[in-house]
Amino acid sequence: MVREFANGALRLRVLRYAAVAEVHGALLAEDLAARGHRVSPGTLYPLLHRLQEAGLLKSRTEVVDGRRVRRYRTTKRGKKVLADCRAVLAELAEDMA
């Protein structure tokens, strides 16, 4: 049960980071690690793809120093889901206090 909650929290953090600014996988992994989420590329990139397939993230590819970099941003739908989840989390926090 704790693992499921942590996985949900990870998805919400990804949506939040991508709502604030465009992100790419390596930067996102660093930010998540700073918050205690040790996420391997084998976990992070499929998560990003699933969120994109669900219409919560959009991406674009650019070339930086000869390398392709995919950058992600939260969609309008993703921002709505994030806001709804924040409301649920606020209720939960209030109930747990």
Side-chain angles (χ1 to χ4, degrees):
M1 178 129 168
V2 173
R3 184 181 197 137
E4 291 173 14
F5 189 81
N7 286 338
L10 174 63
R11 288 190 295 272
L12 290 176
R13 282 192 193 272
V14 168
L15 285 176
R16 185 180 66 80
Y17 288 139
V20 173
E22 207 173 46
V23 296
H24 60 85
L27 176 63
L28 194 52
E30 288 176 17
D31 289 346
L32 291 168
R35 299 279 187 197
H37 292 281
R38 305 263 183 250
V39 182
S40 71
T43 298
L44 180 59
Y45 288 100
L47 171 62
L48 290 168
H49 293 260
R50 283 192 306 273
L51 291 172
Q52 187 171 356
E53 287 173 3
L56 304 177
L57 289 178
K58 59 185 173 184
S59 69
R60 68 179 182 86
T61 303
E62 68 179 359
V63 177
V64 178
D65 296 329
R67 296 180 54 214
R68 288 179 20 166
V69 176
R70 185 175 295 262
R71 300 191 184 274
Y72 296 88
R73 187 81 181 184
T74 304
T75 63
K76 285 183 182 181
R77 181 169 180 239
K79 289 177 183 178
K80 170 78 168 96
V81 166
L82 184 59
D84 292 347
C85 288
R86 282 181 171 155
V88 170
L89 285 171
E91 287 178 24
L92 177 62
E94 186 176 312
D95 288 348
M96 300 302 283

